[in-house]
Amino acid sequence: MQEVHARSACKKCLQEVPARSACKKCKYLQNSPAAKISPTCSGAAWQYRGASLLEELTATCSLAALPPLQHVTWTFNNTGESVRISQDLISVEGSNSTVRYTPLTELDYGSLLCWGTNAVGKQRVPCGIQVFPAGRPDPPDECEQLNFSVSAVTVSCKAGFDGGLRQNFTLELYEEHGTDMITNVTNEVIIPSLLIKFLI
């Protein structure tokens, strides 16, 4: 019974900290048959990525496995077909596998599925990345001025939908009465908070 509980703790630790050396219970039980675990997703089982046509994206599948991974397989699925991705486009480093994928037509949007295999066996339920057409981002919302002085101003906003791609946020500062721009600043953050320093 203690070994079963230890195995459960080992699996939880592997999912949270994929590096096996960081899991003391796994190190203690690594030679025990009861502690061996077939690959599972580490973290979120599904991710969502936007991509434009002819744009290469890299998708990463994080796995937990004991003993370590021996092989990783990627496939692409849409409503009409399932295609195995060439190993030339796949790399494996430790418990992470990365695939390079480029949608060439509208039919190339769908699901990238990742399976790991180790000495115990093949992963039962794959990890997935849903690839969809990238679009223009929605504008920021709920912007508020957090700080204002003679030399700086800080504005914080709630990010809108990113369109499936990483987005930049730009803040432009204009004269109160006029169309002349004083300065601007650009930032790459999930929750935009931009600071402008200026001289008056």
Side-chain angles (χ1 to χ4, degrees), residues 185-199:
V185 63
T186 298
N187 204 351
E188 294 185 19
V189 287
I190 296 176
I191 301 177
S193 180
L194 300 106
L195 170 67
I196 280 185
K197 294 183 178 180
F198 54 93
L199 299 176

Side-chain angles (χ1 to χ4, degrees), residues 167-180:
Q167 56 184 335
N168 298 327
F169 301 93
T170 300
L171 176 65
E172 297 179 346
L173 183 68
Y174 289 84
E175 292 182 351
E176 184 176 2
H177 302 291
T179 59
D180 294 335

Side-chain angles (χ1 to χ4, degrees), residues 78-104:
N78 62 17
T79 54
E81 62 179 349
S82 177
V83 179
R84 185 165 179 165
I85 295 177
S86 169
Q87 289 297 128
D88 295 338
L89 301 174
I90 299 170
S91 61
V92 180
E93 183 175 347
S95 58
N96 295 326
S97 177
T98 299
V99 66
R100 292 181 289 115
Y101 181 76
T102 304
L104 302 178

Side-chain angles (χ1 to χ4, degrees), residues 60-72:
T60 299
C61 169
S62 297
L63 301 171
L66 184 68
L69 292 171
Q70 294 177 331
H71 184 73
V72 177

Side-chain angles (χ1 to χ4, degrees), residues 42 44 48 58 61 75 79-80 91 138 141 154 166 170 186 189:
S42 176
Y48 300 90
T58 56
C61 169
T75 63
T79 54
S91 61
D138 292 340
D141 193 16
T154 300
R166 178 179 293 179
T170 300
T186 298
V189 287

Side-chain angles (χ1 to χ4, degrees), residues 23-177:
C23 302
K24 293 182 179 179
K25 290 187 181 294
C26 293
K27 289 182 69 177
Y28 177 74
L29 293 172
Q30 61 186 342
N31 296 319
S32 168
K36 298 185 185 301
I37 300 168
S38 60
T40 59
C41 302
S42 176
W46 277 92
Q47 304 173 46
Y48 300 90
R49 297 285 301 276
S52 302
L53 288 176
L54 305 180
E55 174 197 3
E56 181 180 277
L57 67 83
T58 56
T60 299
C61 169
S62 297
L63 301 171
L66 184 68
L69 292 171
Q70 294 177 331
H71 184 73
V72 177
T73 301
W74 285 84
T75 63
F76 169 78
N77 287 14
N78 62 17
T79 54
E81 62 179 349
S82 177
V83 179
R84 185 165 179 165
I85 295 177
S86 169
Q87 289 297 128
D88 295 338
L89 301 174
I90 299 170
S91 61
V92 180
E93 183 175 347
S95 58
N96 295 326
S97 177
T98 299
V99 66
R100 292 181 289 115
Y101 181 76
T102 304
L104 302 178
T105 72
E106 297 294 338
L107 296 177
D108 294 327
Y109 291 110
S111 301
L112 292 169
L113 302 178
C114 162
W115 281 274
T117 303
N118 66 359
V120 178
K122 185 175 180 180
Q123 185 173 346
R124 293 183 179 180
V125 179
C127 309
I129 294 94
Q130 185 70 37
V131 182
F132 56 89
R136 293 186 178 184
D138 292 340
D141 193 16
E142 299 180 16
C143 294
E144 58 179 336
Q145 176 184 303
L146 300 180
N147 180 46
F148 182 81
S149 68
V150 295
S151 61
V153 60
T154 300
V155 175
S156 179
C157 301
K158 181 179 179 181
F161 174 61
D162 61 11
L165 300 174
R166 178 179 293 179
Q167 56 184 335
N168 298 327
F169 301 93
T170 300
L171 176 65
E172 297 179 346
L173 183 68
Y174 289 84
E175 292 182 351
E176 184 176 2
H177 302 291

